[in-house]
Amino acid sequence: YKVAENFNVLASIAPGRVDLGVGKAPGGLPLSTRALQQGLNQQEKGTFADQMTQLNHWLSPVADAQQDAVQATPLPAVPAERFLLGASVESARLAVQLDWDFVFAAHLNGDANLLRDVLETWRENSTRHAIVAVQAIVAPTQAQADTLAEKVEVWGVELANGQRVTVASEEQAYAFARQAGSEPLRIARRAQSLIKGTADSVLEQLETLHQTYGIDEFIIDTPIADGSARTQSLRLLAQAKFAGEVLV
């Protein structure tokens, strides 16, 4: 209810300019998750699908609602666009069920077979665009892009309690297991799935993905800690795409 209310306020202030994106993972490490969920009855909160259904209900006003019915006001003239971020066929099907847009999280899981399966499921059941989030690093030279990419780490964690998460370092992987109070069954660095290079080469790789999988739209995640290098990466890509100076 509170999420719906917040985004309805934003959508009322800036009609047509607000997107609401939801992902399954709470983000952060277990201690942060517990702090955010303090006082929440775990049995009552339901599954992720249950929570998404509730959120969708609060975002969808009932025209003939009773006078005392609870609504997440204000009711914007142009509601926030709704996007579900996921990396599974189940997530794609949930987005179909809710009639939300879906974004495949290739920046977290670059498995090509999974990407193909998810997009096939999406196209078979939805007329909405196929959107994919990718990691991309652009630099003036390939060597510079390679150097920046070397600093990006993706670690997979599998715990005895069944949890499977992705973190950004080996240190975070062991901290997650420690805070979750569960024995780590497997902690391993995953192969990079990011796209890196000069602007022209990155655009060429994106075009190849577009042609191979029929992707309609890319969301670019630039995993660079340094602010100036991250801005430069985005500016170079935009300038190459639009063939001109771009303010970033």
Side-chain angles (χ1 to χ4, degrees):
Y1 175 80
K2 185 60 177 176
V3 171
E5 187 178 61
N6 285 346
F7 276 85
N8 279 352
V9 169
L10 293 172
S12 297
I13 294 172
R17 298 184 61 194
V18 178
D19 293 341
L20 166 59
V22 180
K24 186 175 183 178
L29 299 181
L31 288 180
S32 300
T33 300
R34 285 199 286 272
L36 287 168
Q37 297 183 350
Q38 185 175 356
L40 179 65
N41 187 308
Q42 297 299 311
Q43 284 69 43
E44 290 183 357
K45 80 172 186 176
T47 65
F48 177 67
D50 293 335
Q51 292 176 295
M52 287 294 295
T53 301
Q54 291 176 38
L55 175 58
N56 194 56
H57 162 74
W58 291 120
L59 287 167
S60 305
V62 179
D64 58 348
Q66 296 179 0
Q67 182 176 355
D68 293 330
V70 177
Q71 295 198 55
T73 55
L75 303 180
V78 182
E81 293 279 348
R82 307 168 197 182
F83 297 83
L84 172 59
L85 176 70
S88 68
V89 170
E90 291 72 22
S91 292
R93 286 177 176 154
L94 177 58
V96 170
Q97 177 185 330
L98 298 172
D99 194 25
W100 283 35
D101 281 291
F102 177 73
V103 181
F104 180 78
H107 64 312
L108 300 177
N109 190 331
D111 186 310
N113 292 327
L114 177 61
L115 171 62
R116 181 178 292 105
D117 291 344
V118 170
L119 291 184
E120 285 180 356
T121 299
W122 181 247
R123 288 195 197 88
E124 289 171 359
N125 296 279
S126 176
T127 58
R128 292 177 178 268
H129 282 180
I131 308 173
V132 175
V134 297
Q135 285 188 330
I137 294 177
V138 181
T141 68
Q142 182 66 51
Q144 289 174 298
D146 291 339
T147 298
L148 290 169
E150 287 175 1
K151 302 175 183 179
V152 179
E153 298 183 25
V154 179
W155 289 76
V157 183
E158 183 178 347
L159 303 181
N161 65 7
Q163 280 185 289
R164 294 185 179 184
V165 297
T166 300
V167 295
S169 69
E170 186 176 17
E171 181 182 2
Q172 285 186 1
Y174 282 101
F176 192 100
R178 187 170 60 253
Q179 292 183 21
S182 182
E183 186 71 21
L185 298 180
R186 186 172 183 269
I187 292 178
R189 184 171 182 176
R190 293 178 177 169
Q192 287 185 339
S193 60
L194 61 81
I195 300 169
K196 57 186 178 180
T198 63
D200 288 338
S201 69
V202 168
L203 279 178
E204 183 178 343
Q205 293 175 73
L206 291 174
E207 179 62 24
T208 299
L209 287 172
H210 162 65
Q211 295 294 341
T212 302
Y213 299 103
I215 299 168
D216 298 300
E217 182 179 343
F218 290 100
I219 293 178
I220 306 298
D221 170 30
T222 305
I224 304 174
D226 179 72
S228 60
R230 184 169 62 253
T231 300
Q232 181 188 51
S233 176
L234 294 170
R235 180 182 291 113
L236 289 172
L237 185 61
Q239 288 174 346
K241 174 65 176 176
F242 300 108
E245 185 66 26
V246 176
L247 297 178
V248 178

